[in-house]
Amino acid sequence: MGQDEPEDYMIQTHAPGPQGALPLTADMLTNLPSGDLFGMSQNVGMGWKPEKLRGKQVLLLSTQGGMRADDGTPIALGYHTGHWEVGLLMKEAALEISRMGAIPFAGYISDPCDGRSQGTTGMFDSLPYRNDAAMVYRRLIRSLPTRSAVIGIATCDKGLPATMIALASMHDLPCIIVPGGATLPPEYGEDAGKVQTIGVRFTQGEISLQEAAEMGCRACATPGGGCQFLGTAASAQVVSEALGMALPHSALAPSGQNIWLNLARQSARSVMWMQSTGLHMKDILTDAAIENAMAVHAAFGGSTNLLLHIPAIAHAAKCRIPEVSDWNRINRNVPRLVSVLPNGPDYHPTIRVFLAGGVPEVMLQLRKLGLLNEKVKTVAGDDLSAVLDWWEHSERRHLLRKRLQEQDGVNPDDVIMSPMQAAKRGLTSTVTFPTGNIAPEGSVIKSTAIDPEKVSADGFYRHSGLAKVFTTEKEAITAIKKGAIHAGDILILMGRGPSGTGMEETYQLTSALKYLPFGKHVTLITDARFSGVSTGACIGHVGPEALAGGPIGKLRDGDRIEVTIDLNRLEGTVHFIGQGDVTFSPEEGAGILLNRLPHPSLAPDPELPDDTRLWAGLQAASGGTWRGSVYDVDRILAVLDAGRTYLEQLEKQKQRN
């Protein structure tokens, strides 16, 4: 343990305490609860000046992780760059609140990294974490009864959705989101999405050991912010702004830079203005705001994980929860306008999307098409119409778009396009929801990210091939690395939905298929989900999941599968139509699957934590993934009551017999 120093034993047993006196009144002592009074003692005990205790109290909640020295060097690492620098935003917001005469409080719930947990048992906690974090955030908000406003400062795949869900449920409070920003790409090297494939590319002889080592070192070119592609982290930032929960042009700002820091100060001023005018979350989060966010998500080509998060935000806000028909309608009407990693056609990093104008620039295009409700309120105080009027003629817009042209030689109109330009470049609408005898409850594919070479002139992706079936991601990635997956195969990964793994992400597989030469000729079908950076013919969220009796869990090696995706009408089918060289109709295939036993290897992962098993059961009772994997308390209690009644009836019957 080492040698103690003599001064270690010089222990004080009393202290003088803070000087001065609490600004109490007889009315306060008579009418306030003891908690409010003791809270003032705690505040001065932490060093707040007694004479400044009368200010409004503002709670700042953050996903901050790790410990940084004052010069930014690491003392203890965080889980990811996304939350590494957000403490700087917290500091700027807190100082601004203090300057305005209010009292800032701060709380922290760090978040995991989906990139770090890919292919590991850590992924079993990824999606369930979101609900847990939102629940703890809500408990922290309620546990400071004297707060008058809340600021959420967050980024990345689950931390930001959790923060939005928590704040969305604070119907009668002024709240605001400060997105954590984006990291920069390296001057030479690969982005943080592609670099996650160095293992599989090395095993296939695509890169050398030295290339893998050097590119892996440089991928996160700056120490803070979410990844450089429009994955789930970036899509969540975009959605937070599109909902009106974050200030205009705050999503995707470069972490650590002045414009990013200023957003924290501006957000602090905004939430104080909201508090003074009585603008609350229930005024901002409406059915129309949810639809606007879905439209912006479609125009950006956002991550399919937002199909889980936007319904959860709507549920928390007590808004109408969007259904598949709503997603279909919006994606049919809204063109994709943004050329960005990973969708293309040009693979611009998110910093270029920010410089090209970000969310308000996309909204300007959607406004021209009449696809937005401009009467919705935003945390900027004005309705959306006024915000877009400001943006169109703002100095900020002019200077940043000019900066992109001068520094990177990129025309901002080639990053965020007009509908006419987007159509000319071949951009298609974002998502399609295939059904069929393998997915009777539906599935989802980011159809706009299918390799254009695999799309026919009439706008169809068609693939008929033999299934290679796996019940674990590890088996599937091993097969790819060992050359057991070939062009033309249809890779089936079953039992990886909520009940099997907590609905793990399978980016190991989708990224491998993207960056290996034969990968564009393989279709992946799974009841798991995908990283927002995934592309290709990847069909996920298959329902019912295999472990809930879904027909996907009855497929076998050698089954013939037919996939058809219409990228124009956003319609698709996923059918079991044969065995080997024998083919039959989808209806006949459905009958065969109905009478088949589940795959013999199908089972929940043996390392699935009890916490995740509980989450899976609760979200299933609440309507499952298509309702956002939420905890619907009324539904859960109804299921528990019905189960209790059923068990009591069984017990009575047992006693009679």
Side-chain angles (χ1 to χ4, degrees):
M1 290 176 63
Q3 183 65 41
D4 291 336
E5 298 297 329
E7 54 267 27
D8 293 346
Y9 302 113
M10 304 300 293
I11 297 171
Q12 288 182 247
T13 59
H14 294 82
Q19 300 302 301
L22 300 181
L24 297 174
T25 65
D27 180 67
M28 293 167 68
L29 290 169
T30 302
N31 295 307
L32 288 183
S34 64
D36 286 6
L37 300 173
F38 181 59
M40 298 174 76
S41 298
Q42 292 275 19
N43 295 344
V44 295
M46 289 182 278
W48 205 258
K49 299 296 183 185
E51 61 271 19
K52 294 184 177 181
L53 285 177
R54 290 292 187 91
K56 298 289 184 182
Q57 297 182 6
V58 179
L59 175 59
L60 291 84
L61 293 173
S62 169
T63 56
Q64 180 178 341
M67 288 189 289
R68 301 168 69 257
D70 290 341
D71 63 358
T73 56
I75 298 170
L77 294 172
Y79 284 57
H80 54 80
T81 61
H83 62 212
W84 178 246
E85 288 186 329
V86 294
L88 301 176
L89 294 174
M90 292 283 277
K91 181 179 179 180
E92 292 300 318
L95 289 172
E96 189 67 23
I97 289 166
S98 298
R99 280 193 286 269
M100 299 178 74
I103 306 172
F105 287 74
Y108 306 90
I109 303 174
S110 193
D111 56 337
C113 175
D114 281 359
R116 186 181 292 273
S117 60
Q118 291 291 340
T120 76
T121 56
M123 184 52 72
F124 299 170
D125 290 291
S126 171
L127 183 54
Y129 161 90
R130 185 205 67 180
N131 287 13
D132 295 344
M135 189 182 300
V136 176
Y137 273 132
R138 287 192 292 264
R139 293 192 186 280
L140 286 177
I141 294 169
R142 293 191 296 263
S143 297
L144 186 67
T146 49
R147 77 282 182 266
S148 59
V150 183
I151 301 176
I153 300 178
T155 190
C156 286
D157 293 34
K158 302 305 176 298
L160 181 50
T163 307
M164 286 194 282
I165 291 167
L167 268 57
S169 65
M170 297 295 119
H171 312 127
D172 296 314
L173 273 178
C175 303
I176 196 168
I177 291 286
V178 186
T183 191
L184 300 185
E187 293 177 354
Y188 169 76
E190 297 180 347
D191 67 87
K194 186 174 183 179
V195 82
Q196 292 182 51
T197 68
I198 53 177
V200 71
R201 283 186 290 149
F202 173 76
T203 62
Q204 295 292 307
E206 296 290 318
I207 58 173
S208 68
L209 175 61
Q210 184 65 27
E211 287 172 323
E214 290 180 355
M215 289 186 294
C217 187
R218 283 193 292 267
C220 299
T222 50
C227 295
Q228 308 104 328
F229 47 80
L230 192 76
T232 305
S235 298
Q237 292 192 41
V238 165
V239 163
S240 71
E241 186 178 332
L243 285 166
M245 297 180 75
L247 287 178
H249 201 233
S250 58
L252 312 180
S255 181
Q257 298 189 38
N258 288 336
I259 197 168
W260 175 80
L261 290 170
N262 194 37
L263 284 168
R265 297 188 288 268
Q266 292 170 331
S267 297
R269 294 194 293 272
S270 180
V271 84
M272 292 299 294
W273 180 88
M274 292 171 68
Q275 193 279 326
S276 68
T277 58
L279 184 63
H280 298 153
M281 276 291 94
K282 65 184 178 186
D283 304 312
I284 290 169
L285 291 177
T286 61
D287 291 348
I290 298 294
E291 289 243 340
N292 281 352
M294 294 167 69
V296 172
H297 172 270
F300 266 83
S303 164
T304 54
N305 280 319
L306 272 295
L307 274 69
L308 296 166
H309 302 321
I310 289 177
I313 294 165
H315 175 263
K318 296 189 181 302
C319 293
R320 177 179 171 274
I321 297 175
E323 300 174 350
V324 171
S325 59
D326 299 306
W327 289 103
N328 256 323
R329 168 176 52 82
I330 287 173
N331 277 271
R332 284 195 179 102
N333 292 334
V334 177
R336 180 164 73 90
L337 302 175
V338 182
S339 183
V340 63
L341 282 163
N343 303 326
D346 297 316
Y347 299 112
H348 296 294
T350 48
I351 179 61
R352 289 182 180 170
V353 178
F354 176 78
L355 291 171
V359 172
E361 192 69 23
V362 170
M363 282 185 151
L364 281 183
Q365 297 295 340
L366 297 182
R367 172 197 235 183
K368 295 173 186 176
L369 297 173
L371 294 173
L372 294 175
N373 185 318
E374 297 183 50
K375 295 180 180 179
V376 295
K377 291 288 187 183
T378 75
V379 292
D382 288 320
D383 59 26
L384 180 59
S385 177
V387 168
L388 295 181
D389 287 344
W390 161 77
W391 173 256
E392 189 169 13
H393 304 289
S394 68
E395 181 183 46
R396 182 186 181 100
R397 178 184 186 231
H398 170 73
L399 291 178
L400 291 181
R401 285 166 61 85
K402 182 180 178 183
R403 178 74 172 170
L404 176 59
Q405 183 78 62
E406 292 177 348
Q407 180 158 308
D408 285 10
V410 172
N411 183 344
D413 292 332
D414 289 336
V415 180
I416 298 175
M417 305 179 193
S418 69
M420 184 179 298
Q421 172 74 355
K424 191 180 297 184
R425 292 296 307 275
L427 275 68
T428 54
S429 297
T430 297
V431 293
T432 301
F433 298 89
T435 57
N437 63 23
I438 294 173
E441 290 183 358
S443 61
V444 65
I445 179 172
K446 191 196 282 188
S447 48
T448 194
I450 297 175
D451 192 305
E453 293 182 17
K454 300 299 295 179
V455 179
S456 63
D458 60 355
F460 275 79
Y461 173 80
R462 298 180 178 92
H463 185 186
S464 177
L466 300 184
K468 289 189 175 175
V469 177
F470 302 91
T471 58
T472 72
E473 187 189 18
K474 183 177 181 180
E475 293 170 346
I477 193 66
T478 299
I480 292 174
K481 288 183 175 181
K482 291 186 175 180
I485 303 297
H486 307 103
D489 288 342
I490 292 188
L491 196 161
I492 305 292
L493 180 63
M494 63 172 68
R496 312 313 280 179
S499 301
T501 65
M503 204 177 189
E504 67 182 359
E505 274 189 0
T506 55
Y507 183 59
Q508 268 200 120
L509 303 180
T510 58
S511 61
L513 294 174
K514 177 176 181 176
Y515 291 109
L516 292 177
F518 64 86
K520 69 175 70 175
H521 307 292
V522 175
T523 298
L524 169 61
I525 304 173
T526 181
D527 52 5
R529 61 192 175 91
F530 300 125
S531 166
V533 72
S534 296
T535 59
C538 305
I539 300 170
H541 298 222
V542 168
E545 63 171 313
L547 286 163
I552 188 176
K554 298 181 178 182
L555 296 175
R556 301 289 192 274
D557 285 340
D559 285 345
R560 181 163 292 278
I561 311 298
E562 182 182 68
V563 176
T564 303
I565 308 294
D566 183 342
L567 277 72
N568 294 319
R569 299 182 64 184
L570 301 186
E571 297 173 349
T573 56
V574 187
H575 287 308
F576 162 57
I577 60 158
Q579 295 169 281
D581 294 329
V582 178
T583 61
F584 34 74
S585 70
E587 292 74 20
E588 291 171 315
I592 293 171
L593 290 175
L594 182 65
N595 293 310
R596 262 191 194 175
L597 293 174
H599 193 285
S601 299
L602 182 65
D605 195 285
E607 296 189 65
L608 188 68
D610 285 345
D611 299 333
T612 301
R613 290 176 58 213
L614 178 61
W615 165 85
L618 293 175
Q619 66 89 36
S622 302
T625 56
W626 293 109
R627 290 190 82 242
S629 294
V630 299
Y631 294 159
D632 187 321
V633 176
D634 290 337
R635 286 193 180 204
I636 292 168
L637 292 178
V639 170
L640 290 174
D641 288 342
R644 189 181 302 111
T645 300
Y646 176 71
L647 291 175
E648 289 171 354
Q649 290 172 347
L650 282 182
E651 184 62 29
K652 289 178 182 178
Q653 186 177 8
K654 183 178 177 181
Q655 291 173 359
R656 285 196 299 267
N657 295 335

